[in-house]
Amino acid sequence: MWSCGKTRSHVCRESRAEDSGHSPTSCEENEKQEPSSPKQGDFSDPVYKEIAVANGTINRMNSDQLRAKCAELKLDTRGVKDVLKKRLKSYYKRQKLMHSAAANGNIDVYFDYICVVDYEATCEENNPPDYLHEIIEFPMVLIDTHTLEIVDSFQEYVKPVVNPQLSEFCVKLTGITQKTVDEAETFHQVLKRAVSWLQEKELGTKYKYTFLTDGSWDMGKFLHTQCKLSCIRYPLFARKWINIRKSYGNFYKVPRTQTKLICMLENLGMQYDGRPHCGLDDSCNIARIAIHMLKDGCELRVNECLHSGEPRSVPISAPIEGAPAPQTPKKRN
């Protein structure tokens, strides 16, 4: 499996107020939304009765029994009790439904690739209400949903224009130097190269894909604000995404306070790898969570979109569709 290397320069993300940050010590609120499996068919089908019986047995197991059963099935034995229960339930459900789907030729994967994005932006220790956050790190981590591996990554730094001088808080928080952003190119140039990277992967043309973020801010706040500042039309391919905090909370049935990045990792029996507030390292850790959820049987679906400049929830009844092929960014009039 490809492993994320550590960057030598680090950039910052704002300390997001009201539990809406990417920091391993802060948490964004996630809306409750029940997941559903597409094409599940009639729940009176005997296969669902078998699943219900298996779920009842799992619910009666203690932690040691759950780990023993996971080990027997060669599943990951890490995680808290509720995670282990969900893992086993998902395993049995997936096995039963896969056998049923295989008989009807219905096995499919929503997306061939999931692209994890976790921008870093300029910030102050106490951001004023009218503060304009500018993206200063643009990272992407690509997950192959068939092999369940990280297969590639993209990372570039961006020169801020409105607030070209990084705050002392930002420097202290992340270790970024002013020299790093001073030598970087503008957002328009970096976005063009990011689009080229996505195009080289044939995403949206040969392969189905979508974006995944840790919360609503990356697309709904940072990218939207940056495009306005750079007089660029908001890219169509970034209008819908997976908010992993919502997906995690719904799948493992945990409160939103347990959907912080560090909490998700710890509940899955993992530790943060790298340096917090480094966009590439954050993206890699988010990707690790996504892969773990896919292995546990989670059907990661698009659950948020940008509507009138604001992030909105996508209903679970919405049709499943991948992001459109990325196009070269266009200037706004």
Side-chain angles (χ1 to χ4, degrees), residues 187-200 209 227 231-237 324-332:
F187 179 77
H188 188 207
Q189 294 300 317
V190 172
L191 180 59
K192 285 174 63 176
R193 283 199 287 276
V195 166
S196 295
W197 185 82
L198 293 168
Q199 291 173 335
E200 289 171 4
Y209 81 111
C227 286
C231 296
I232 298 172
R233 293 180 185 176
Y234 189 92
L236 291 176
F237 61 82
Q327 301 294 324
T328 302
K330 299 179 180 179
K331 282 284 188 178
R332 293 171 56 187

Coordinates of all heavy atoms in Angstrom, one line a residue, residues 187-200 209 227 231-237 324-332:
F187 N -3.5 31.0 -6.6 CA -4.5 29.9 -6.6 C -4.9 29.5 -8.0 O -5.0 28.3 -8.3 CB -5.7 30.3 -5.8 CG -6.7 29.3 -5.8 CD1 -6.6 28.2 -5.0 CD2 -7.9 29.4 -6.6 CE1 -7.6 27.2 -5.0 CE2 -8.8 28.4 -6.6 CZ -8.7 27.3 -5.8
H188 N -5.0 30.4 -8.9 CA -5.5 30.1 -10.3 C -4.5 29.1 -10.9 O -4.9 28.2 -11.6 CB -5.6 31.4 -11.1 CG -6.2 31.2 -12.5 ND1 -5.9 32.0 -13.6 CD2 -7.0 30.2 -12.9 CE1 -6.6 31.5 -14.6 NE2 -7.3 30.4 -14.2
Q189 N -3.2 29.4 -10.8 CA -2.2 28.5 -11.4 C -2.2 27.1 -10.7 O -2.1 26.1 -11.4 CB -0.8 29.2 -11.3 CG -0.7 30.4 -12.1 CD -0.9 30.2 -13.6 OE1 -0.4 29.2 -14.1 NE2 -1.6 31.1 -14.2
V190 N -2.3 27.1 -9.4 CA -2.3 25.8 -8.7 C -3.6 25.0 -9.0 O -3.5 23.8 -9.3 CB -2.2 26.1 -7.2 CG1 -2.4 24.8 -6.4 CG2 -0.9 26.7 -6.8
L191 N -4.7 25.7 -9.1 CA -5.9 25.0 -9.5 C -5.8 24.4 -10.9 O -6.3 23.3 -11.1 CB -7.1 25.9 -9.4 CG -8.5 25.3 -9.8 CD1 -8.8 24.1 -8.9 CD2 -9.6 26.4 -9.7
K192 N -5.2 25.1 -11.8 CA -5.0 24.6 -13.2 C -4.2 23.3 -13.1 O -4.5 22.3 -13.8 CB -4.3 25.6 -14.1 CG -5.2 26.8 -14.5 CD -4.4 27.8 -15.2 CE -3.8 27.3 -16.5 NZ -3.2 28.5 -17.3
R193 N -3.1 23.2 -12.3 CA -2.3 22.0 -12.2 C -3.1 20.9 -11.5 O -2.9 19.7 -11.8 CB -1.0 22.3 -11.6 CG 0.0 23.1 -12.5 CD 1.4 22.9 -12.0 NE 1.6 23.8 -10.8 CZ 1.9 25.1 -10.8 NH1 2.0 25.7 -12.0 NH2 2.1 25.8 -9.7
A194 N -3.9 21.3 -10.5 CA -4.7 20.3 -9.9 C -5.7 19.6 -10.8 O -5.9 18.4 -10.8 CB -5.4 20.9 -8.7
V195 N -6.3 20.4 -11.7 CA -7.2 19.9 -12.7 C -6.5 19.0 -13.7 O -7.0 17.9 -14.0 CB -7.9 21.1 -13.4 CG1 -8.6 20.6 -14.7 CG2 -8.9 21.8 -12.5
S196 N -5.3 19.4 -14.1 CA -4.5 18.6 -15.0 C -4.2 17.2 -14.4 O -4.2 16.2 -15.0 CB -3.2 19.3 -15.4 OG -3.4 20.5 -16.1
W197 N -3.9 17.2 -13.1 CA -3.6 16.0 -12.4 C -4.8 15.1 -12.4 O -4.7 13.9 -12.6 CB -3.2 16.3 -10.9 CG -2.7 15.2 -10.1 CD1 -1.5 14.6 -10.1 CD2 -3.5 14.5 -9.1 NE1 -1.5 13.6 -9.2 CE2 -2.7 13.5 -8.6 CE3 -4.8 14.6 -8.7 CZ2 -3.1 12.6 -7.6 CZ3 -5.3 13.7 -7.7 CH2 -4.4 12.7 -7.2
L198 N -6.0 15.6 -12.1 CA -7.2 14.9 -12.1 C -7.5 14.3 -13.5 O -7.9 13.2 -13.7 CB -8.4 15.7 -11.7 CG -8.4 16.2 -10.2 CD1 -9.4 17.2 -9.9 CD2 -8.6 15.0 -9.3
Q199 N -7.2 15.2 -14.5 CA -7.5 14.7 -15.9 C -6.6 13.6 -16.3 O -7.0 12.7 -17.0 CB -7.3 15.9 -16.9 CG -8.4 17.0 -16.7 CD -8.1 18.2 -17.5 OE1 -7.0 18.6 -17.9 NE2 -9.2 19.0 -17.9
E200 N -5.3 13.7 -15.9 CA -4.4 12.6 -16.2 C -4.8 11.3 -15.6 O -4.5 10.2 -16.2 CB -3.0 13.0 -15.6 CG -2.3 14.1 -16.3 CD -1.0 14.5 -15.6 OE1 -0.7 13.9 -14.5 OE2 -0.4 15.5 -16.0
Y209 N -15.8 9.0 -10.1 CA -15.1 9.4 -8.9 C -15.9 10.5 -8.2 O -16.9 11.0 -8.7 CB -13.7 10.0 -9.3 CG -13.8 11.4 -9.8 CD1 -13.3 12.5 -9.0 CD2 -14.4 11.7 -11.0 CE1 -13.3 13.8 -9.5 CE2 -14.4 13.0 -11.5 CZ -13.9 14.1 -10.7 OH -14.0 15.4 -11.2
C227 N -12.4 31.0 -4.7 CA -12.8 31.2 -6.1 C -13.3 32.6 -6.3 O -13.0 33.2 -7.4 CB -13.8 30.2 -6.5 SG -13.2 28.5 -6.8
C231 N -11.6 35.5 -8.6 CA -12.4 35.7 -9.8 C -12.5 34.5 -10.7 O -12.3 34.6 -12.0 CB -11.9 37.0 -10.6 SG -12.0 38.5 -9.6
I232 N -12.6 33.3 -10.1 CA -12.7 32.1 -10.9 C -14.1 31.5 -10.6 O -14.7 31.5 -9.5 CB -11.7 31.1 -10.4 CG1 -10.3 31.6 -10.7 CG2 -11.8 29.7 -11.1 CD1 -9.2 30.8 -10.1
R233 N -14.7 30.9 -11.7 CA -16.0 30.2 -11.5 C -15.8 29.0 -10.7 O -14.8 28.2 -10.9 CB -16.5 29.8 -12.9 CG -16.9 31.0 -13.8 CD -17.5 30.5 -15.1 NE -17.8 31.7 -16.0 CZ -18.2 31.5 -17.2 NH1 -18.4 30.3 -17.7 NH2 -18.4 32.6 -18.0
Y234 N -16.7 28.8 -9.7 CA -16.6 27.6 -8.9 C -16.6 26.4 -9.7 O -17.5 26.2 -10.6 CB -17.7 27.6 -7.8 CG -17.5 26.5 -6.8 CD1 -16.9 26.8 -5.6 CD2 -18.0 25.3 -7.0 CE1 -16.7 25.9 -4.6 CE2 -17.8 24.3 -6.0 CZ -17.2 24.6 -4.8 OH -17.0 23.6 -3.8
P235 N -15.7 25.4 -9.6 CA -15.6 24.2 -10.5 C -16.8 23.3 -10.3 O -17.2 23.0 -9.1 CB -14.3 23.6 -10.1 CG -14.0 24.1 -8.7 CD -14.5 25.5 -8.7
L236 N -17.4 22.9 -11.4 CA -18.6 22.0 -11.3 C -18.2 20.7 -10.6 O -19.1 20.1 -9.9 CB -19.1 21.7 -12.8 CG -19.7 22.9 -13.5 CD1 -20.0 22.5 -14.9 CD2 -20.9 23.4 -12.8
F237 N -17.0 20.2 -10.8 CA -16.6 18.9 -10.2 C -16.6 18.9 -8.7 O -16.6 17.9 -8.1 CB -15.3 18.4 -10.8 CG -14.1 19.3 -10.5 CD1 -13.5 19.2 -9.3 CD2 -13.6 20.2 -11.4 CE1 -12.4 20.0 -9.0 CE2 -12.5 21.0 -11.2 CZ -11.9 20.9 -9.9
P324 N -18.5 15.3 -12.4 CA -18.2 15.5 -13.8 C -16.7 15.6 -14.1 O -15.9 15.9 -13.1 CB -18.9 16.8 -14.2 CG -19.0 17.5 -12.9 CD -19.1 16.5 -11.8
A325 N -16.3 15.4 -15.3 CA -14.9 15.5 -15.6 C -14.4 16.9 -15.3 O -15.1 17.9 -15.7 CB -14.7 15.2 -17.1
P326 N -13.2 17.0 -14.7 CA -12.7 18.4 -14.4 C -12.3 19.2 -15.6 O -11.8 18.6 -16.5 CB -11.5 18.0 -13.5 CG -11.1 16.7 -13.9 CD -12.3 15.9 -14.2
Q327 N -12.7 20.4 -15.6 CA -12.4 21.3 -16.7 C -11.4 22.4 -16.2 O -11.4 22.8 -15.1 CB -13.7 22.0 -17.2 CG -14.7 21.0 -17.7 CD -14.3 20.2 -18.9 OE1 -13.6 20.7 -19.8 NE2 -14.6 18.9 -19.0
T328 N -10.7 22.9 -17.2 CA -9.8 24.0 -16.9 C -10.5 25.2 -16.2 O -11.6 25.6 -16.8 CB -9.0 24.5 -18.1 OG1 -8.3 23.4 -18.7 CG2 -8.1 25.6 -17.8
P329 N -10.1 25.7 -15.1 CA -10.8 26.8 -14.5 C -11.0 28.0 -15.3 O -10.1 28.4 -16.1 CB -9.9 27.1 -13.2 CG -8.6 26.6 -13.6 CD -8.8 25.4 -14.4
K330 N -12.2 28.6 -15.3 CA -12.5 29.8 -16.1 C -12.7 31.0 -15.2 O -13.2 30.9 -14.1 CB -13.8 29.5 -16.8 CG -13.7 28.3 -17.8 CD -15.1 28.1 -18.5 CE -15.0 26.9 -19.5 NZ -16.3 26.7 -20.2
K331 N -12.2 32.1 -15.7 CA -12.3 33.4 -15.0 C -13.8 33.9 -15.0 O -14.5 33.7 -16.0 CB -11.5 34.4 -15.7 CG -10.0 34.3 -15.4 CD -9.7 34.8 -14.0 CE -8.2 34.9 -13.7 NZ -7.9 35.4 -12.4
R332 N -14.2 34.5 -13.9 CA -15.5 35.2 -13.9 C -15.4 36.6 -14.4 O -14.4 37.2 -14.3 CB -16.0 35.2 -12.4 CG -16.2 33.9 -11.8 CD -16.5 33.9 -10.3 NE -17.6 34.9 -10.0 CZ -17.9 35.2 -8.8 NH1 -17.2 34.7 -7.8 NH2 -18.9 36.0 -8.5

